[in-house]
Amino acid sequence: MFKYKINEETELRLLEVRHAEELFQLTDTSRNNLRKWLPWVDRTKTVENSKGFIEGALKQFCNNDGFQAGIWYKGELAGIVGLHTINWSNKSTSLGYWLGDSFQGKGLMTKSCQEVINYCFNELELKRIEIRVATENEKSLAIPHRLGFTKEGCLEKSELLYDEYVDHYVFGLINEI
């Protein structure tokens, strides 16, 4: 997946090092909201930090271990959707995503996640996709619900988010084909 057009206004593209400045600016302008749910935000202090993330994502892709795609809306980087890793033995993966503040409420993430799911099931022939979401993160919880995932349980104190642990709901989607 190098480039995937969702509609006339939106496309997914692999992040490249040349996108580091744009990624950092998006992170920086959305920092307060992203920080509520993402533990890496405080460690993203410079463009060089974003460049390091992109370099790691490119290695991930080259190693056939998933990808991190930028979501471009009307030519602007709006957010990220990607796979944390791929368990090829079990044909499973987990999906992660975030949007910048000014791009929320447009249906971008639901459409982007749906295309990644289609890619995982149809191209990669995976059997299972998982999403884990902090139980209090209402906006992020809406995504697996909209996409037909099944809530499978709750992992208590699953993630240290700065100075407190948060619980996660686990959602699963099975490829029945």
Side-chain angles (χ1 to χ4, degrees), residues 53-176:
F53 168 77
I54 293 170
E55 289 170 341
L58 290 170
K59 286 178 186 170
Q60 176 190 20
F61 180 72
C62 288
N63 290 334
N64 199 28
D65 196 27
F67 58 89
Q68 302 299 315
I71 302 166
W72 269 264
Y73 177 70
K74 296 183 179 179
E76 289 185 72
L77 182 60
I80 305 291
V81 61
L83 307 179
H84 293 119
T85 188
I86 298 176
N87 180 327
W88 287 106
S89 297
N90 292 312
K91 293 189 169 261
S92 65
T93 191
S94 62
L95 187 61
Y97 47 84
W98 64 268
L99 276 177
D101 291 354
S102 62
F103 297 97
Q104 295 181 13
K106 301 177 187 312
L108 295 174
M109 192 53 73
T110 302
K111 291 174 193 168
S112 297
C113 286
Q114 183 62 65
E115 294 306 327
V116 171
I117 291 165
N118 293 344
Y119 178 78
C120 287
F121 285 165
N122 299 326
E123 300 296 323
L124 300 179
E125 299 180 349
L126 298 181
K127 184 67 174 172
R128 174 184 168 79
I129 300 173
E130 188 174 285
I131 296 176
R132 294 182 182 199
V133 181
T135 59
E136 303 295 317
N137 188 345
E138 293 179 23
K139 287 183 180 180
S140 193
L141 284 169
I143 301 297
H145 286 293
R146 283 190 206 116
L147 295 171
F149 280 68
T150 300
K151 186 195 286 184
E152 298 176 334
C154 181
L155 302 173
E156 293 184 16
K157 309 296 184 212
S158 178
E159 180 181 36
L160 180 59
L161 197 54
Y162 302 101
D163 55 357
E164 74 175 272
Y165 282 91
V166 295
D167 299 344
H168 279 186
Y169 288 130
V170 177
F171 296 88
L173 186 65
I174 306 300
N175 184 2
E176 298 295 348

